[in-house]
Amino acid sequence: SAAAFAPAKQVARSTAVQAFEEELGAQAPLGFFDPLGLVADGNEANFERLRFVEIKHGRIAMLAVVGYLIEEAGVRLPGAISLDGTQFSDVPAGFGALSAIPGAGLFQLFAFIGFLEIFVMKDITGGEFVGDFR
C-alpha cells in the first residue's frame, strides 16, 4: 500500500530550556540558543549573571576598538610614558606596544583594569535593566 512510503510522523522535541524562551534575544528559528548548556538547569540567577557579563565585556570590547582606531590614526598623548624618556609617540600601535611599554607601566595598566573590574564596573542591584552601571 502507499502508506508504507508515507513519511513517519515525528514528534517535535526540544532540548532548549523553556525557562528563557521569552527573554530578549531569543528569536526564531533558534529560539533560546545555549549550545554549551550553561543555563540548562534553568537557574535564573546564573542566566542574569551571564547576561550581565556579556554586556559588560561587549562594552569593553567596543571601547578597545575605538582606542585602537584612534591610536592607528596617529593620535598620541603628549609627553613621556616613562622616566627614561620614552615618548608616547615612540610606542607602536597594536600588540607591538606590549613590548615597548616598560614593565612598571604594564603593571599600572593591568592594576587599573583590575581596580575598574572589581570596584567600579558593578551591576546595580535592582537597576532598571541588566548592565545598569550608573
Side-chain angles (χ1 to χ4, degrees):
S1 92
F5 297 101
K9 289 186 179 181
Q10 304 239 347
V11 177
R13 294 182 186 163
S14 174
T15 58
V17 176
Q18 298 299 318
F20 307 117
E21 283 296 322
E22 300 300 319
E23 290 292 334
L24 182 67
Q27 56 190 352
L30 297 176
F32 176 68
F33 186 64
D34 183 20
L36 299 177
L38 297 174
V39 289
D41 59 354
N43 184 340
E44 182 87 21
N46 191 24
F47 175 78
E48 293 295 328
R49 170 74 181 140
L50 290 173
R51 177 167 277 181
F52 159 73
V53 169
E54 179 182 13
I55 291 170
K56 179 170 76 167
H57 291 143
R59 290 173 179 171
I60 292 169
M62 288 186 275
L63 287 172
V65 167
V66 169
Y68 178 80
L69 293 174
I70 288 172
E71 188 179 33
E72 220 20 71
V75 178
R76 300 283 201 269
L77 293 172
I81 193 170
S82 68
L83 296 176
D84 68 1
T86 304
Q87 300 293 313
F88 281 104
S89 58
D90 298 336
V91 177
F95 287 114
L98 292 175
S99 61
I101 297 175
L106 287 175
F107 174 76
Q108 290 174 7
L109 179 68
F110 288 116
F112 181 66
I113 291 170
F115 172 79
L116 291 177
E117 182 78 22
I118 294 170
F119 297 109
V120 177
M121 296 189 73
K122 292 196 268 190
D123 193 23
I124 293 176
T125 305
E128 291 182 42
F129 51 87
V130 175
D132 189 356
F133 294 121
R134 290 182 281 158

